[in-house]
Amino acid sequence: MTVFEAIPISQIGKGTAYITAGDGKAYPLDAEELRRAFAAIVHDNSTEMITTGEAAQILGVSAKTVARMLDAGEIPFVRYSAKGNRMVSRAQVVAYRDKSESHSHETLETMREAASQGGLDTILG
Protein backbone atom coordinates (compact mmCIF):
# COMPACT_ATOMS: atom_id res chain seq x y z
CA MET A 1 0.00 0.00 0.00
CA THR A 2 1.35 3.39 -1.00
CA VAL A 3 1.51 6.09 1.64
CA PHE A 4 0.83 9.52 0.20
CA GLU A 5 2.50 12.53 1.72
CA ALA A 6 1.14 15.99 1.05
CA ILE A 7 3.49 18.81 0.14
CA PRO A 8 2.80 22.49 -0.62
CA ILE A 9 1.63 22.96 -4.20
CA SER A 10 4.44 25.49 -4.69
CA GLN A 11 6.95 22.64 -4.37
CA ILE A 12 5.48 20.62 -7.26
CA GLY A 13 7.84 20.50 -10.22
CA LYS A 14 6.72 21.47 -13.71
CA GLY A 15 5.22 18.49 -15.53
CA THR A 16 4.61 16.51 -12.32
CA ALA A 17 1.22 14.83 -11.97
CA TYR A 18 -0.51 15.41 -8.66
CA ILE A 19 -3.85 15.49 -6.88
CA THR A 20 -4.99 18.24 -4.58
CA ALA A 21 -7.96 18.60 -2.29
CA GLY A 22 -7.92 22.38 -2.71
CA ASP A 23 -6.20 23.12 0.57
CA GLY A 24 -2.92 24.28 -0.98
CA LYS A 25 -1.29 20.89 -0.55
CA ALA A 26 -0.52 18.41 -3.31
CA TYR A 27 -0.02 14.68 -3.52
CA PRO A 28 2.55 13.88 -6.24
CA LEU A 29 1.78 10.80 -8.33
CA ASP A 30 4.03 8.48 -10.28
CA ALA A 31 2.75 7.00 -13.56
CA GLU A 32 1.05 3.99 -11.93
CA GLU A 33 -0.57 6.10 -9.20
CA LEU A 34 -1.83 8.53 -11.85
CA ARG A 35 -3.34 5.65 -13.85
CA ARG A 36 -5.07 4.33 -10.72
CA ALA A 37 -6.30 7.82 -9.81
CA PHE A 38 -7.91 8.20 -13.23
CA ALA A 39 -9.47 4.77 -12.86
CA ALA A 40 -10.88 5.67 -9.43
CA ILE A 41 -12.33 8.95 -10.67
CA VAL A 42 -14.10 7.27 -13.53
CA HIS A 43 -15.04 4.04 -11.75
CA ASP A 44 -18.51 4.24 -13.30
CA ASN A 45 -16.98 3.44 -16.71
CA SER A 46 -17.49 7.02 -17.83
CA THR A 47 -13.98 7.82 -18.93
CA GLU A 48 -14.77 11.23 -20.32
CA MET A 49 -12.72 13.96 -18.68
CA ILE A 50 -13.73 17.54 -19.39
CA THR A 51 -12.25 21.00 -18.91
CA THR A 52 -13.36 23.45 -16.26
CA GLY A 53 -15.01 25.51 -19.03
CA GLU A 54 -17.11 22.53 -20.09
CA ALA A 55 -17.97 21.87 -16.43
CA ALA A 56 -19.04 25.52 -16.11
CA GLN A 57 -21.46 25.08 -19.02
CA ILE A 58 -22.98 21.95 -17.46
CA LEU A 59 -23.35 23.68 -14.08
CA GLY A 60 -24.56 26.99 -15.49
CA VAL A 61 -21.83 28.99 -13.74
CA SER A 62 -18.62 30.75 -14.74
CA ALA A 63 -15.27 28.98 -15.12
CA LYS A 64 -14.02 31.02 -12.13
CA THR A 65 -16.85 29.63 -10.03
CA VAL A 66 -15.89 26.10 -11.09
CA ALA A 67 -12.27 26.86 -10.13
CA ARG A 68 -13.46 27.95 -6.66
CA MET A 69 -15.51 24.73 -6.36
CA LEU A 70 -12.46 22.66 -7.24
CA ASP A 71 -10.25 24.59 -4.83
CA ALA A 72 -12.83 24.00 -2.09
CA GLY A 73 -12.76 20.26 -2.79
CA GLU A 74 -16.41 20.10 -3.89
CA ILE A 75 -15.54 18.27 -7.12
CA PRO A 76 -12.42 16.11 -7.51
CA PHE A 77 -10.01 16.97 -10.32
CA VAL A 78 -6.64 16.07 -11.75
CA ARG A 79 -3.98 18.32 -13.21
CA TYR A 80 -2.05 17.34 -16.26
CA SER A 81 -0.05 18.78 -19.16
CA ALA A 82 2.82 21.22 -19.00
CA LYS A 83 0.35 24.01 -18.19
CA GLY A 84 -1.23 22.07 -15.31
CA ASN A 85 -4.76 22.29 -16.72
CA ARG A 86 -7.44 20.88 -14.47
CA MET A 87 -9.75 18.17 -15.76
CA VAL A 88 -12.83 16.73 -14.10
CA SER A 89 -15.00 13.69 -14.72
CA ARG A 90 -18.14 14.61 -16.66
CA ALA A 91 -20.06 12.03 -14.61
CA GLN A 92 -19.00 13.66 -11.34
CA VAL A 93 -19.91 17.14 -12.59
CA VAL A 94 -23.37 15.91 -13.63
CA ALA A 95 -23.79 14.16 -10.26
CA TYR A 96 -22.78 17.37 -8.45
CA ARG A 97 -25.30 19.37 -10.53
CA ASP A 98 -28.08 16.88 -9.86
CA LYS A 99 -27.37 16.85 -6.13
CA SER A 100 -27.30 20.67 -6.01
CA GLU A 101 -30.58 20.94 -7.93
CA SER A 102 -32.23 18.39 -5.64
CA HIS A 103 -31.05 20.30 -2.56
CA SER A 104 -32.35 23.59 -4.03
CA HIS A 105 -35.79 22.07 -4.69
CA GLU A 106 -35.96 20.66 -1.15
CA THR A 107 -34.99 24.04 0.35
CA LEU A 108 -37.58 25.88 -1.73
CA GLU A 109 -40.29 23.43 -0.66
CA THR A 110 -39.32 23.91 3.00
CA MET A 111 -39.56 27.68 2.56
CA ARG A 112 -43.01 27.34 0.92
CA GLU A 113 -44.24 25.20 3.80
CA ALA A 114 -42.93 27.70 6.35
CA ALA A 115 -44.62 30.58 4.51
CA SER A 116 -47.89 28.69 4.37
CA GLN A 117 -47.76 27.83 8.07
CA GLY A 118 -47.01 31.47 8.91
CA GLY A 119 -49.90 32.71 6.79
CA LEU A 120 -47.61 34.50 4.32
CA ASP A 121 -49.04 32.73 1.29
CA THR A 122 -52.38 34.55 1.71
CA ILE A 123 -50.65 37.95 1.91
CA LEU A 124 -48.81 37.46 -1.36
CA GLY A 125 -51.87 36.02 -2.91
Side-chain angles (χ1 to χ4, degrees):
M1 180 173 177
T2 305
V3 175
F4 292 100
E5 185 175 325
I7 62 173
I9 261 182
S10 61
Q11 293 180 7
I12 294 291
K14 186 175 181 178
T16 301
Y18 65 93
I19 294 177
T20 181
D23 60 359
K25 293 184 180 170
Y27 299 86
L29 303 173
D30 63 26
E32 175 59 19
E33 292 164 341
L34 179 60
R35 185 195 65 72
R36 290 187 356 228
F38 270 114
I41 289 171
V42 294
H43 70 278
D44 61 349
N45 294 328
S46 173
T47 59
E48 186 177 6
M49 298 297 285
I50 60 174
T51 65
T52 55
E54 292 168 314
Q57 289 178 343
I58 291 169
L59 297 171
V61 299
S62 71
K64 286 190 180 229
T65 298
V66 171
R68 285 191 292 273
M69 293 168 142
L70 300 182
D71 291 340
E74 295 176 26
I75 301 172
F77 67 93
V78 294
R79 284 195 187 266
Y80 82 102
S81 83
K83 292 182 181 180
N85 295 333
R86 294 192 271 196
M87 300 292 287
V88 294
S89 161
R90 177 182 294 277
Q92 289 190 346
V93 171
V94 169
Y96 180 88
R97 181 198 62 199
D98 293 348
K99 181 179 175 187
S100 294
E101 287 176 357
S102 174
H103 178 71
S104 295
H105 291 299
E106 290 171 11
T107 301
L108 183 57
E109 188 56 36
T110 299
M111 291 171 65
R112 284 185 181 138
E113 288 175 19
S116 178
Q117 290 173 359
L120 296 176
D121 55 344
T122 57
I123 294 172
L124 300 175

